[in-house]
Amino acid sequence: MNSVKQLPFCSVVIPTFNRADLLRATLDSVLRQDGDDFEVIVVDDGSPEDLSQLADEYRTRITFLRQENAGPSAARNRGVAAARGEDVAFLDSDDVWFPWTLSVYRRVIAECGRPGFVAGCPRVFAKPTELEQLSNGPLQTLNFDDYLSAGDAWRWFGVSSFVVRRDVFLESGGFSPNMWHGEDADLALMLGTVAGFEQIAGPVTFGYRQGSGDQLTDDWQSQLPAVQRLIEKERRLEYPGGQKRAVERRRIVARHVRPVALTLARKRQFAAAWRLYLALFAWHLRLGQWKFVFGFPAWTVWRQTLGRVVAPLAR
């Protein structure tokens, strides 16, 4: 009798570029999950280093794909195109899962009516030993009709937070391939009106490795064009929800912009900082963000004045 192979419940998509030393730990963490109803797809984004030995070592459990270097967004889209699972979980190649991660995602998806978008719970770490004492715990979730209704609090922590129904991911257009930074915020907004958004508040579902890549706003050269792209797309009403939900979207976009504006001022990139401030001035007035409206000019002028005073003294 012919047996039909059951489709995986979840496809785990992992883009990688020159991280063979960290990728092994990431793969091992995923393969420690309970059950076997998942698949793992690694997309090598044109790494100069040779991953063939690693691919051969894991060939019975993991699918390795390779493409010319096109960025993490294109690599993730390639992985989803090859995925067979109903849901797709994204994981960066320097982050890790815990043994209970997939069972937590499975439970949330089953108990919350198959939401379109789930955000996992992070634990930031610099050394793997920092994760050794963590354990599973009671499930805690925050439930929203959709992502736009979740407000402007940080609801996720990078793409490694994302678990998305494959059908809604494809309908949204996926990650913008020309965005190498800020693609997580862009996709979240594209998924903004998809029914069902769940934020997992506990237990932790992934470890976010600090220091191995760009942090949220440290690399202002990359983050500045990313937030500018978010602003431009919102102004053109490219995100779902139309004018009816513009205030919700702009509250979220502004939440991404403010830290970058402050970082630019801290890095003494004052012209760029002021441009961001003025670009969103009307939005912040409408949103009642008075602390930023009045605090940013005062703090930035103080920074600029301090620089003019200190510079002659340093000569």
Side-chain angles (χ1 to χ4, degrees), residues 246-284:
V247 172
E248 293 168 282
R249 290 193 310 271
R250 291 172 185 182
R251 188 180 302 278
I252 292 170
V253 172
R255 179 66 178 84
H256 290 287
V257 173
R258 288 194 296 274
V260 179
L262 292 169
T263 295
L264 289 167
R266 190 173 66 249
K267 299 290 186 180
R268 311 195 66 77
Q269 302 296 319
F270 296 116
W274 280 114
R275 282 195 295 270
L276 280 187
Y277 174 80
L278 294 173
L280 265 64
F281 182 75
W283 291 9
H284 281 124

Side-chain angles (χ1 to χ4, degrees), residues 92-157:
D92 284 345
S93 58
D94 58 341
D95 296 335
V96 296
W97 273 7
F98 302 103
W100 57 85
T101 295
L102 195 58
S103 64
V104 171
Y105 290 150
R106 186 186 294 107
R107 182 178 170 189
V108 170
I109 290 168
E111 294 182 4
C112 298
R114 295 216 29 82
F117 183 11
V118 176
C121 181
R123 173 61 61 91
V124 178
F125 74 101
K127 299 179 181 179
T129 54
E130 298 171 25
L131 305 177
E132 290 177 355
Q133 301 304 314
L134 296 178
S135 61
N136 198 355
L139 178 62
Q140 303 174 59
T141 61
L142 300 175
N143 317 101
F144 302 95
D145 291 337
D146 55 28
Y147 174 66
L148 293 186
S149 65
D152 65 344
W154 287 120
R155 299 294 179 186
W156 42 265
F157 205 87

Side-chain angles (χ1 to χ4, degrees), residues 21 29 33 37 56-57 62 76 86-87 96-97 105 119 122 125 128-129 142 169 176 184 190 228 245 255 298:
D21 55 333
S29 75
Q33 302 304 299
D37 58 341
D56 185 64
E57 182 179 339
I62 294 172
R76 294 186 186 101
E86 293 184 55
D87 292 88
V96 296
W97 273 7
Y105 290 150
F125 74 101
T129 54
L142 300 175
F169 177 89
S176 295
D184 47 359
M190 291 303 297
Q228 288 173 328
R245 307 199 66 180
R255 179 66 178 84

Side-chain angles (χ1 to χ4, degrees), residues 61-240:
R61 295 293 308 276
I62 294 172
T63 299
F64 275 78
L65 305 176
R66 180 176 170 83
Q67 65 179 25
E68 293 298 319
N69 182 242
S73 293
R76 294 186 186 101
N77 290 341
R78 172 80 184 279
V80 175
R84 298 178 301 126
E86 293 184 55
D87 292 88
V88 180
F90 296 96
L91 185 63
D92 284 345
S93 58
D94 58 341
D95 296 335
V96 296
W97 273 7
F98 302 103
W100 57 85
T101 295
L102 195 58
S103 64
V104 171
Y105 290 150
R106 186 186 294 107
R107 182 178 170 189
V108 170
I109 290 168
E111 294 182 4
C112 298
R114 295 216 29 82
F117 183 11
V118 176
C121 181
R123 173 61 61 91
V124 178
F125 74 101
K127 299 179 181 179
T129 54
E130 298 171 25
L131 305 177
E132 290 177 355
Q133 301 304 314
L134 296 178
S135 61
N136 198 355
L139 178 62
Q140 303 174 59
T141 61
L142 300 175
N143 317 101
F144 302 95
D145 291 337
D146 55 28
Y147 174 66
L148 293 186
S149 65
D152 65 344
W154 287 120
R155 299 294 179 186
W156 42 265
F157 205 87
V159 180
S160 291
S161 302
F162 288 21
V163 181
V164 185
R165 264 196 4 236
R166 186 172 180 270
D167 61 333
V168 301
F169 177 89
L170 295 175
E171 288 170 8
S172 75
F175 290 99
S176 295
N178 57 352
M179 291 188 73
W180 289 46
H181 298 272
E183 73 279 10
D184 47 359
D186 180 69
L187 178 63
L189 286 162
M190 291 303 297
L191 297 171
T193 58
V194 170
F197 172 66
E198 301 291 327
Q199 179 190 358
I200 298 173
V204 294
T205 58
F206 71 99
Y208 176 85
R209 191 184 300 268
Q210 192 172 44
S212 61
D214 296 337
Q215 301 304 312
L216 185 61
T217 57
D218 286 346
D219 186 4
W220 63 266
Q221 292 96 335
S222 300
Q223 295 298 330
L224 177 57
V227 295
Q228 288 173 328
R229 179 71 186 277
L230 297 181
I231 294 170
E232 292 168 4
K233 290 186 72 171
E234 169 52 31
R235 284 177 171 166
R236 294 195 297 262
L237 296 179
E238 293 184 20
Y239 295 120

